[in-house]
Amino acid sequence: KSLKILTKDSLKKRFLLSKPYRMVFDFTRDSDMGTKYIKNLDGAFKNIILGSHQKYYRVVIELDSLYR
């Protein structure tokens, strides 16, 4: 169970959240993209959300359980 995020942008911050279990990645870039949802995936990854903020964008990956 693995995932690669391919980007030329710098990773600003990463952290984990629980209930539901989520991995959160912030990448440096000034972006105006709207929020994008990829829902109901099979396997370990349930949902993926991408959204932009002022000086960065965030990738949130919801997991089906707690992983190392």
Side-chain angles (χ1 to χ4, degrees):
K1 297 177 182 170
S2 65
L3 173 75
K4 279 187 183 182
I5 298 174
L6 302 175
T7 181
K8 293 180 181 179
D9 302 322
S10 299
L11 181 63
K12 177 179 177 177
K13 185 181 358 176
R14 67 177 182 223
F15 54 95
L16 299 171
L17 298 171
S18 62
K19 297 183 184 176
Y21 295 109
R22 292 161 286 166
M23 298 184 299
V24 181
F25 302 91
D26 292 341
F27 294 94
T28 303
R29 175 183 256 190
D30 203 4
S31 175
D32 278 347
M33 73 173 148
T35 302
K36 299 183 187 320
Y37 298 91
I38 303 169
K39 294 184 173 191
N40 303 318
L41 300 170
D42 290 332
F45 311 111
K46 291 175 64 176
N47 301 301
I48 299 174
I49 304 167
L50 297 110
S52 62
H53 298 270
Q54 285 187 334
K55 300 283 183 187
Y56 66 97
Y57 63 94
R58 176 168 283 172
V59 178
V60 178
I61 302 166
E62 185 178 339
L63 304 171
D64 66 346
S65 184
L66 178 61
Y67 293 90
R68 294 181 108 196

